[in-house]
Amino acid sequence: MSSADAVAREAAWLADFNPADGLPALSATLGGPFDTIQAYLPRTPAQRRTQLYVLRRQLREERTAHVRRMARHLFELRIFWPASSPSGSSEDPQQTLDAAVELVLQRIGGLMLDKTHGGRFFSVAENPGEVTVDFADPEPGLRDRADLRCTVTYWADDTEVNG
């Protein structure tokens, strides 16, 4: 493991699904709400698709002992959600986005006694133990029949290494 693959590891956790663990599927191919779950933002995101992109906004290397250090990643999930609905309602896409974000929060929270995202990290959303969701103003997306947007941010601690 290296800090260079942290974004890919987190994207893999979000796209992963095991029906036995009780965590929700996020990928539409597995019954979840997102057509795309991907590490890094593409040059031209798809139109009219539910999309979740994993970005790293900050990397900190913290010394935990004289010869030990730990990488801390501030992840940002960018969510794009179509502002249109078959019913023509503007409220429906806003509500379905809220429901999708709830599933994302459950997935980030991880398993009851395992906050490592399947061994990919030392811990996720534990130090500090917070996840922040920021919703963009829906009016421009609704007016332009484009996308609703929100970001989800949280920290992940990597495993300690000598150095």
Side-chain angles (χ1 to χ4, degrees), residues 4-160:
D5 67 1
V7 173
R9 285 184 276 143
E10 186 62 2
W13 168 256
L14 295 169
D16 199 8
F17 178 63
N18 177 354
D21 68 17
L23 294 175
L26 296 181
S27 173
T29 59
L30 300 169
F34 292 99
D35 297 317
T36 302
I37 299 172
Q38 174 181 315
Y40 304 109
L41 193 62
R43 184 177 306 276
T44 54
Q47 299 295 311
R48 307 258 188 258
R49 297 276 185 239
T50 55
Q51 302 165 75
L52 184 154
Y53 297 100
V54 181
L55 307 171
R56 181 171 50 192
R57 302 300 296 160
Q58 194 174 85
L59 168 63
R60 292 183 183 175
E61 281 221 339
E62 296 183 3
R63 202 147 288 281
T64 57
H66 178 65
V67 295
R68 306 284 292 164
R69 60 187 167 82
M70 177 186 295
R72 298 191 70 218
H73 312 278
L74 177 59
F75 287 125
E76 176 182 286
L77 308 182
R78 286 202 190 162
I79 296 175
F80 298 87
W81 199 263
S84 59
S85 74
S87 70
S89 162
S90 66
E91 294 88 347
D92 287 350
Q94 293 173 78
Q95 176 59 54
T96 56
L97 172 58
D98 280 345
V101 167
E102 175 59 29
L103 296 177
V104 170
L105 294 176
Q106 290 175 30
R107 191 95 199 140
I108 291 168
L111 302 169
M112 178 61 80
L113 298 173
D114 180 7
K115 304 304 181 185
T116 68
H117 283 192
R120 291 171 176 87
F121 296 92
F122 179 70
S123 68
V124 178
E126 292 288 303
N127 183 22
E130 65 182 36
V131 178
T132 303
V133 182
D134 291 309
F135 294 90
D137 181 355
E139 186 178 1
L142 295 170
R143 181 187 60 236
D144 299 338
R145 300 182 66 199
D147 290 328
L148 302 172
R149 295 176 181 218
C150 74
T151 59
V152 181
T153 55
Y154 54 96
W155 289 93
D157 291 339
D158 237 327
T159 54
E160 287 185 325

